[in-house]
PDB file of all heavy atoms in Angstrom:
ATOM      1  N   SER I   1      55.880 -11.592   2.637  1.00 98.00           N
ATOM      2  CA  SER I   1      57.124 -10.895   2.357  1.00 98.00           C
ATOM      3  C   SER I   1      58.059 -11.796   1.562  1.00 98.00           C
ATOM      4  O   SER I   1      57.836 -12.998   1.459  1.00 98.00           O
ATOM      5  CB  SER I   1      57.807 -10.446   3.653  1.00 98.00           C
ATOM      6  OG  SER I   1      58.174 -11.563   4.446  1.00 98.00           O
ATOM      7  N   GLY I   2      59.096 -11.201   1.005  1.00 98.00           N
ATOM      8  CA  GLY I   2      60.110 -11.965   0.304  1.00 98.00           C
ATOM      9  C   GLY I   2      60.090 -11.854  -1.200  1.00 98.00           C
ATOM     10  O   GLY I   2      60.987 -12.387  -1.873  1.00 98.00           O
ATOM     11  N   GLY I   3      59.099 -11.177  -1.754  1.00 98.00           N
ATOM     12  CA  GLY I   3      59.024 -11.035  -3.196  1.00 98.00           C
ATOM     13  C   GLY I   3      60.122 -10.131  -3.726  1.00 98.00           C
ATOM     14  O   GLY I   3      60.825  -9.462  -2.983  1.00 98.00           O
ATOM     15  N   GLY I   4      60.250 -10.125  -5.044  1.00 98.00           N
ATOM     16  CA  GLY I   4      61.265  -9.303  -5.674  1.00 98.00           C
ATOM     17  C   GLY I   4      61.365  -9.578  -7.148  1.00 98.00           C
ATOM     18  O   GLY I   4      60.522 -10.263  -7.728  1.00 98.00           O
ATOM     19  N   LEU I   5      62.408  -9.038  -7.759  1.00 98.00           N
ATOM     20  CA  LEU I   5      62.665  -9.207  -9.183  1.00 98.00           C
ATOM     21  C   LEU I   5      63.819 -10.176  -9.376  1.00 98.00           C
ATOM     22  O   LEU I   5      64.902  -9.972  -8.821  1.00 98.00           O
ATOM     23  CB  LEU I   5      62.997  -7.859  -9.821  1.00 98.00           C
ATOM     24  CG  LEU I   5      63.449  -7.866 -11.278  1.00 98.00           C
ATOM     25  CD1 LEU I   5      62.331  -8.381 -12.179  1.00 98.00           C
ATOM     26  CD2 LEU I   5      63.883  -6.466 -11.703  1.00 98.00           C
ATOM     27  N   VAL I   6      63.584 -11.224 -10.147  1.00 98.00           N
ATOM     28  CA  VAL I   6      64.624 -12.210 -10.429  1.00 98.00           C
ATOM     29  C   VAL I   6      64.596 -12.582 -11.901  1.00 98.00           C
ATOM     30  O   VAL I   6      63.591 -12.393 -12.587  1.00 98.00           O
ATOM     31  CB  VAL I   6      64.458 -13.491  -9.582  1.00 98.00           C
ATOM     32  CG1 VAL I   6      64.577 -13.176  -8.099  1.00 98.00           C
ATOM     33  CG2 VAL I   6      63.117 -14.155  -9.872  1.00 98.00           C
ATOM     34  N   GLN I   7      65.701 -13.118 -12.377  1.00 98.00           N
ATOM     35  CA  GLN I   7      65.776 -13.599 -13.744  1.00 98.00           C
ATOM     36  C   GLN I   7      65.228 -15.013 -13.832  1.00 98.00           C
ATOM     37  O   GLN I   7      65.205 -15.747 -12.840  1.00 98.00           O
ATOM     38  CB  GLN I   7      67.219 -13.568 -14.247  1.00 98.00           C
ATOM     39  CG  GLN I   7      67.809 -12.173 -14.369  1.00 98.00           C
ATOM     40  CD  GLN I   7      69.217 -12.185 -14.926  1.00 98.00           C
ATOM     41  OE1 GLN I   7      69.880 -13.216 -14.949  1.00 98.00           O
ATOM     42  NE2 GLN I   7      69.669 -11.032 -15.389  1.00 98.00           N
ATOM     43  N   ALA I   8      64.770 -15.390 -15.004  1.00 98.00           N
ATOM     44  CA  ALA I   8      64.281 -16.743 -15.213  1.00 98.00           C
ATOM     45  C   ALA I   8      65.337 -17.755 -14.785  1.00 98.00           C
ATOM     46  O   ALA I   8      66.520 -17.597 -15.076  1.00 98.00           O
ATOM     47  CB  ALA I   8      63.907 -16.950 -16.673  1.00 98.00           C
ATOM     48  N   GLY I   9      64.884 -18.785 -14.088  1.00 98.00           N
ATOM     49  CA  GLY I   9      65.795 -19.794 -13.577  1.00 98.00           C
ATOM     50  C   GLY I   9      66.266 -19.527 -12.163  1.00 98.00           C
ATOM     51  O   GLY I   9      66.875 -20.402 -11.532  1.00 98.00           O
ATOM     52  N   GLY I  10      65.977 -18.341 -11.657  1.00 98.00           N
ATOM     53  CA  GLY I  10      66.394 -17.969 -10.322  1.00 98.00           C
ATOM     54  C   GLY I  10      65.462 -18.481  -9.245  1.00 98.00           C
ATOM     55  O   GLY I  10      64.511 -19.212  -9.518  1.00 98.00           O
ATOM     56  N   SER I  11      65.743 -18.068  -8.015  1.00 98.00           N
ATOM     57  CA  SER I  11      64.976 -18.537  -6.866  1.00 98.00           C
ATOM     58  C   SER I  11      64.574 -17.396  -5.948  1.00 98.00           C
ATOM     59  O   SER I  11      65.234 -16.364  -5.893  1.00 98.00           O
ATOM     60  CB  SER I  11      65.802 -19.544  -6.053  1.00 98.00           C
ATOM     61  OG  SER I  11      66.172 -20.668  -6.830  1.00 98.00           O
ATOM     62  N   LEU I  12      63.487 -17.597  -5.242  1.00 98.00           N
ATOM     63  CA  LEU I  12      63.016 -16.676  -4.224  1.00 98.00           C
ATOM     64  C   LEU I  12      62.381 -17.473  -3.102  1.00 98.00           C
ATOM     65  O   LEU I  12      61.867 -18.571  -3.328  1.00 98.00           O
ATOM     66  CB  LEU I  12      61.980 -15.693  -4.772  1.00 98.00           C
ATOM     67  CG  LEU I  12      62.454 -14.474  -5.552  1.00 98.00           C
ATOM     68  CD1 LEU I  12      61.250 -13.706  -6.082  1.00 98.00           C
ATOM     69  CD2 LEU I  12      63.307 -13.566  -4.679  1.00 98.00           C
ATOM     70  N   SER I  13      62.404 -16.909  -1.911  1.00 98.00           N
ATOM     71  CA  SER I  13      61.772 -17.531  -0.762  1.00 98.00           C
ATOM     72  C   SER I  13      60.771 -16.559  -0.157  1.00 98.00           C
ATOM     73  O   SER I  13      61.136 -15.445   0.231  1.00 98.00           O
ATOM     74  CB  SER I  13      62.822 -17.922   0.286  1.00 98.00           C
ATOM     75  OG  SER I  13      62.213 -18.526   1.411  1.00 98.00           O
ATOM     76  N   LEU I  14      59.514 -16.960  -0.098  1.00 98.00           N
ATOM     77  CA  LEU I  14      58.458 -16.125   0.450  1.00 98.00           C
ATOM     78  C   LEU I  14      58.093 -16.579   1.858  1.00 98.00           C
ATOM     79  O   LEU I  14      58.175 -17.764   2.175  1.00 98.00           O
ATOM     80  CB  LEU I  14      57.211 -16.175  -0.425  1.00 98.00           C
ATOM     81  CG  LEU I  14      57.391 -15.884  -1.912  1.00 98.00           C
ATOM     82  CD1 LEU I  14      56.028 -15.919  -2.608  1.00 98.00           C
ATOM     83  CD2 LEU I  14      58.080 -14.548  -2.122  1.00 98.00           C
ATOM     84  N   THR I  15      57.678 -15.629   2.675  1.00 98.00           N
ATOM     85  CA  THR I  15      57.274 -15.937   4.041  1.00 98.00           C
ATOM     86  C   THR I  15      55.911 -15.331   4.334  1.00 98.00           C
ATOM     87  O   THR I  15      55.632 -14.198   3.942  1.00 98.00           O
ATOM     88  CB  THR I  15      58.291 -15.393   5.059  1.00 98.00           C
ATOM     89  OG1 THR I  15      59.560 -16.019   4.853  1.00 98.00           O
ATOM     90  CG2 THR I  15      57.839 -15.697   6.485  1.00 98.00           C
ATOM     91  N   CYS I  16      55.074 -16.087   5.011  1.00 98.00           N
ATOM     92  CA  CYS I  16      53.767 -15.635   5.459  1.00 98.00           C
ATOM     93  C   CYS I  16      53.782 -15.646   6.980  1.00 98.00           C
ATOM     94  O   CYS I  16      53.981 -16.701   7.590  1.00 98.00           O
ATOM     95  CB  CYS I  16      52.674 -16.561   4.924  1.00 98.00           C
ATOM     96  SG  CYS I  16      51.015 -16.214   5.554  1.00 98.00           S
ATOM     97  N   ALA I  17      53.588 -14.487   7.579  1.00 97.00           N
ATOM     98  CA  ALA I  17      53.609 -14.371   9.032  1.00 97.00           C
ATOM     99  C   ALA I  17      52.194 -14.285   9.592  1.00 97.00           C
ATOM    100  O   ALA I  17      51.440 -13.378   9.242  1.00 97.00           O
ATOM    101  CB  ALA I  17      54.411 -13.142   9.446  1.00 97.00           C
ATOM    102  N   ASP I  18      51.858 -15.229  10.450  1.00 95.00           N
ATOM    103  CA  ASP I  18      50.545 -15.278  11.094  1.00 95.00           C
ATOM    104  C   ASP I  18      50.730 -14.887  12.556  1.00 95.00           C
ATOM    105  O   ASP I  18      50.580 -15.707  13.458  1.00 95.00           O
ATOM    106  CB  ASP I  18      49.949 -16.683  10.963  1.00 95.00           C
ATOM    107  CG  ASP I  18      48.554 -16.791  11.561  1.00 95.00           C
ATOM    108  OD1 ASP I  18      47.894 -15.748  11.752  1.00 95.00           O
ATOM    109  OD2 ASP I  18      48.117 -17.932  11.827  1.00 95.00           O
ATOM    110  N   SER I  19      51.060 -13.627  12.777  1.00 92.00           N
ATOM    111  CA  SER I  19      51.362 -13.163  14.126  1.00 92.00           C
ATOM    112  C   SER I  19      50.166 -13.242  15.068  1.00 92.00           C
ATOM    113  O   SER I  19      50.337 -13.341  16.283  1.00 92.00           O
ATOM    114  CB  SER I  19      51.897 -11.724  14.090  1.00 92.00           C
ATOM    115  OG  SER I  19      50.961 -10.830  13.516  1.00 92.00           O
ATOM    116  N   GLY I  20      48.956 -13.220  14.520  1.00 92.00           N
ATOM    117  CA  GLY I  20      47.760 -13.313  15.335  1.00 92.00           C
ATOM    118  C   GLY I  20      47.334 -14.738  15.618  1.00 92.00           C
ATOM    119  O   GLY I  20      46.323 -14.946  16.288  1.00 92.00           O
ATOM    120  N   ARG I  21      48.074 -15.688  15.123  1.00 92.00           N
ATOM    121  CA  ARG I  21      47.797 -17.122  15.306  1.00 92.00           C
ATOM    122  C   ARG I  21      46.392 -17.495  14.832  1.00 92.00           C
ATOM    123  O   ARG I  21      45.753 -18.387  15.380  1.00 92.00           O
ATOM    124  CB  ARG I  21      48.008 -17.529  16.753  1.00 92.00           C
ATOM    125  CG  ARG I  21      49.456 -17.425  17.226  1.00 92.00           C
ATOM    126  CD  ARG I  21      49.589 -17.835  18.683  1.00 92.00           C
ATOM    127  NE  ARG I  21      50.982 -17.974  19.077  1.00 92.00           N
ATOM    128  CZ  ARG I  21      51.759 -16.967  19.450  1.00 92.00           C
ATOM    129  NH1 ARG I  21      51.282 -15.737  19.470  1.00 92.00           N
ATOM    130  NH2 ARG I  21      53.008 -17.188  19.800  1.00 92.00           N
ATOM    131  N   THR I  22      45.927 -16.836  13.819  1.00 92.00           N
ATOM    132  CA  THR I  22      44.597 -17.071  13.287  1.00 92.00           C
ATOM    133  C   THR I  22      44.440 -18.476  12.725  1.00 92.00           C
ATOM    134  O   THR I  22      43.385 -19.099  12.863  1.00 92.00           O
ATOM    135  CB  THR I  22      44.266 -16.049  12.189  1.00 92.00           C
ATOM    136  OG1 THR I  22      44.399 -14.720  12.714  1.00 92.00           O
ATOM    137  CG2 THR I  22      42.849 -16.252  11.675  1.00 92.00           C
ATOM    138  N   PHE I  23      45.495 -18.996  12.122  1.00 91.00           N
ATOM    139  CA  PHE I  23      45.415 -20.282  11.439  1.00 91.00           C
ATOM    140  C   PHE I  23      46.315 -21.345  12.052  1.00 91.00           C
ATOM    141  O   PHE I  23      46.762 -22.258  11.363  1.00 91.00           O
ATOM    142  CB  PHE I  23      45.739 -20.094   9.952  1.00 91.00           C
ATOM    143  CG  PHE I  23      44.839 -19.116   9.269  1.00 91.00           C
ATOM    144  CD1 PHE I  23      45.294 -17.852   8.928  1.00 91.00           C
ATOM    145  CD2 PHE I  23      43.529 -19.453   8.991  1.00 91.00           C
ATOM    146  CE1 PHE I  23      44.456 -16.945   8.314  1.00 91.00           C
ATOM    147  CE2 PHE I  23      42.679 -18.557   8.382  1.00 91.00           C
ATOM    148  CZ  PHE I  23      43.139 -17.299   8.040  1.00 91.00           C
ATOM    149  N   SER I  24      46.566 -21.227  13.346  1.00 90.00           N
ATOM    150  CA  SER I  24      47.450 -22.171  14.013  1.00 90.00           C
ATOM    151  C   SER I  24      46.916 -23.600  14.008  1.00 90.00           C
ATOM    152  O   SER I  24      47.696 -24.550  14.109  1.00 90.00           O
ATOM    153  CB  SER I  24      47.716 -21.726  15.458  1.00 90.00           C
ATOM    154  OG  SER I  24      46.504 -21.666  16.196  1.00 90.00           O
ATOM    155  N   THR I  25      45.607 -23.762  13.881  1.00 93.00           N
ATOM    156  CA  THR I  25      44.999 -25.094  13.849  1.00 93.00           C
ATOM    157  C   THR I  25      44.320 -25.388  12.517  1.00 93.00           C
ATOM    158  O   THR I  25      43.531 -26.321  12.416  1.00 93.00           O
ATOM    159  CB  THR I  25      43.980 -25.267  14.988  1.00 93.00           C
ATOM    160  OG1 THR I  25      42.939 -24.297  14.853  1.00 93.00           O
ATOM    161  CG2 THR I  25      44.656 -25.104  16.346  1.00 93.00           C
ATOM    162  N   TYR I  26      44.633 -24.608  11.515  1.00 96.00           N
ATOM    163  CA  TYR I  26      44.046 -24.774  10.187  1.00 96.00           C
ATOM    164  C   TYR I  26      45.120 -25.032   9.143  1.00 96.00           C
ATOM    165  O   TYR I  26      46.303 -24.763   9.348  1.00 96.00           O
ATOM    166  CB  TYR I  26      43.272 -23.521   9.775  1.00 96.00           C
ATOM    167  CG  TYR I  26      42.011 -23.274  10.561  1.00 96.00           C
ATOM    168  CD1 TYR I  26      42.054 -22.562  11.755  1.00 96.00           C
ATOM    169  CD2 TYR I  26      40.786 -23.743  10.104  1.00 96.00           C
ATOM    170  CE1 TYR I  26      40.901 -22.331  12.483  1.00 96.00           C
ATOM    171  CE2 TYR I  26      39.628 -23.505  10.831  1.00 96.00           C
ATOM    172  CZ  TYR I  26      39.689 -22.798  12.011  1.00 96.00           C
ATOM    173  OH  TYR I  26      38.545 -22.562  12.730  1.00 96.00           O
ATOM    174  N   ALA I  27      44.687 -25.522   8.010  1.00 97.00           N
ATOM    175  CA  ALA I  27      45.571 -25.631   6.866  1.00 97.00           C
ATOM    176  C   ALA I  27      45.825 -24.231   6.316  1.00 97.00           C
ATOM    177  O   ALA I  27      45.043 -23.312   6.541  1.00 97.00           O
ATOM    178  CB  ALA I  27      44.939 -26.514   5.795  1.00 97.00           C
ATOM    179  N   MET I  28      46.925 -24.078   5.606  1.00 98.00           N
ATOM    180  CA  MET I  28      47.251 -22.796   4.998  1.00 98.00           C
ATOM    181  C   MET I  28      47.682 -23.013   3.553  1.00 98.00           C
ATOM    182  O   MET I  28      48.034 -24.125   3.163  1.00 98.00           O
ATOM    183  CB  MET I  28      48.356 -22.079   5.780  1.00 98.00           C
ATOM    184  CG  MET I  28      47.964 -21.716   7.201  1.00 98.00           C
ATOM    185  SD  MET I  28      49.245 -20.764   8.079  1.00 98.00           S
ATOM    186  CE  MET I  28      49.116 -19.180   7.219  1.00 98.00           C
ATOM    187  N   ALA I  29      47.651 -21.949   2.791  1.00 98.00           N
ATOM    188  CA  ALA I  29      47.967 -22.083   1.376  1.00 98.00           C
ATOM    189  C   ALA I  29      48.523 -20.799   0.790  1.00 98.00           C
ATOM    190  O   ALA I  29      48.336 -19.709   1.338  1.00 98.00           O
ATOM    191  CB  ALA I  29      46.719 -22.500   0.593  1.00 98.00           C
ATOM    192  N   TRP I  30      49.208 -20.948  -0.322  1.00 98.00           N
ATOM    193  CA  TRP I  30      49.694 -19.833  -1.116  1.00 98.00           C
ATOM    194  C   TRP I  30      48.852 -19.730  -2.378  1.00 98.00           C
ATOM    195  O   TRP I  30      48.501 -20.746  -2.987  1.00 98.00           O
ATOM    196  CB  TRP I  30      51.159 -20.015  -1.504  1.00 98.00           C
ATOM    197  CG  TRP I  30      52.121 -19.800  -0.379  1.00 98.00           C
ATOM    198  CD1 TRP I  30      52.675 -20.745   0.418  1.00 98.00           C
ATOM    199  CD2 TRP I  30      52.640 -18.541   0.055  1.00 98.00           C
ATOM    200  NE1 TRP I  30      53.512 -20.167   1.336  1.00 98.00           N
ATOM    201  CE2 TRP I  30      53.514 -18.807   1.137  1.00 98.00           C
ATOM    202  CE3 TRP I  30      52.470 -17.225  -0.352  1.00 98.00           C
ATOM    203  CZ2 TRP I  30      54.203 -17.797   1.807  1.00 98.00           C
ATOM    204  CZ3 TRP I  30      53.149 -16.217   0.321  1.00 98.00           C
ATOM    205  CH2 TRP I  30      54.005 -16.506   1.378  1.00 98.00           C
ATOM    206  N   PHE I  31      48.561 -18.508  -2.774  1.00 98.00           N
ATOM    207  CA  PHE I  31      47.827 -18.210  -3.989  1.00 98.00           C
ATOM    208  C   PHE I  31      48.586 -17.137  -4.750  1.00 98.00           C
ATOM    209  O   PHE I  31      49.464 -16.479  -4.204  1.00 98.00           O
ATOM    210  CB  PHE I  31      46.415 -17.702  -3.666  1.00 98.00           C
ATOM    211  CG  PHE I  31      45.614 -18.625  -2.797  1.00 98.00           C
ATOM    212  CD1 PHE I  31      45.737 -18.584  -1.420  1.00 98.00           C
ATOM    213  CD2 PHE I  31      44.733 -19.537  -3.364  1.00 98.00           C
ATOM    214  CE1 PHE I  31      45.003 -19.434  -0.608  1.00 98.00           C
ATOM    215  CE2 PHE I  31      43.988 -20.390  -2.569  1.00 98.00           C
ATOM    216  CZ  PHE I  31      44.129 -20.345  -1.196  1.00 98.00           C
ATOM    217  N   ARG I  32      48.248 -16.960  -6.003  1.00 98.00           N
ATOM    218  CA  ARG I  32      48.877 -15.888  -6.772  1.00 98.00           C
ATOM    219  C   ARG I  32      47.889 -15.337  -7.790  1.00 98.00           C
ATOM    220  O   ARG I  32      46.969 -16.017  -8.213  1.00 98.00           O
ATOM    221  CB  ARG I  32      50.145 -16.377  -7.476  1.00 98.00           C
ATOM    222  CG  ARG I  32      49.922 -17.417  -8.566  1.00 98.00           C
ATOM    223  CD  ARG I  32      51.251 -17.941  -9.081  1.00 98.00           C
ATOM    224  NE  ARG I  32      51.088 -18.896 -10.163  1.00 98.00           N
ATOM    225  CZ  ARG I  32      52.089 -19.585 -10.709  1.00 98.00           C
ATOM    226  NH1 ARG I  32      53.334 -19.419 -10.264  1.00 98.00           N
ATOM    227  NH2 ARG I  32      51.850 -20.438 -11.689  1.00 98.00           N
ATOM    228  N   GLN I  33      48.113 -14.096  -8.160  1.00 98.00           N
ATOM    229  CA  GLN I  33      47.257 -13.450  -9.138  1.00 98.00           C
ATOM    230  C   GLN I  33      48.112 -12.618 -10.079  1.00 98.00           C
ATOM    231  O   GLN I  33      48.786 -11.686  -9.657  1.00 98.00           O
ATOM    232  CB  GLN I  33      46.210 -12.570  -8.458  1.00 98.00           C
ATOM    233  CG  GLN I  33      45.186 -11.987  -9.419  1.00 98.00           C
ATOM    234  CD  GLN I  33      44.003 -11.376  -8.699  1.00 98.00           C
ATOM    235  OE1 GLN I  33      44.108 -10.962  -7.547  1.00 98.00           O
ATOM    236  NE2 GLN I  33      42.861 -11.325  -9.365  1.00 98.00           N
ATOM    237  N   ALA I  34      48.075 -12.978 -11.339  1.00 97.00           N
ATOM    238  CA  ALA I  34      48.790 -12.251 -12.374  1.00 97.00           C
ATOM    239  C   ALA I  34      47.870 -11.194 -12.969  1.00 97.00           C
ATOM    240  O   ALA I  34      46.644 -11.314 -12.893  1.00 97.00           O
ATOM    241  CB  ALA I  34      49.269 -13.213 -13.460  1.00 97.00           C
ATOM    242  N   PRO I  35      48.437 -10.147 -13.573  1.00 92.00           N
ATOM    243  CA  PRO I  35      47.610  -9.098 -14.176  1.00 92.00           C
ATOM    244  C   PRO I  35      46.625  -9.661 -15.190  1.00 92.00           C
ATOM    245  O   PRO I  35      46.999 -10.441 -16.061  1.00 92.00           O
ATOM    246  CB  PRO I  35      48.645  -8.193 -14.854  1.00 92.00           C
ATOM    247  CG  PRO I  35      49.883  -8.385 -14.047  1.00 92.00           C
ATOM    248  CD  PRO I  35      49.874  -9.839 -13.683  1.00 92.00           C
TER     249      PRO I  35
END
């Protein structure tokens, strides 16, 4: 969550919720995919 539309130079804060605690003992990462 946390995505949106911003102008160049702006800021955003994204959050990843692991409510199932699937990765509580693992490393985690962010990825992205452009069109």
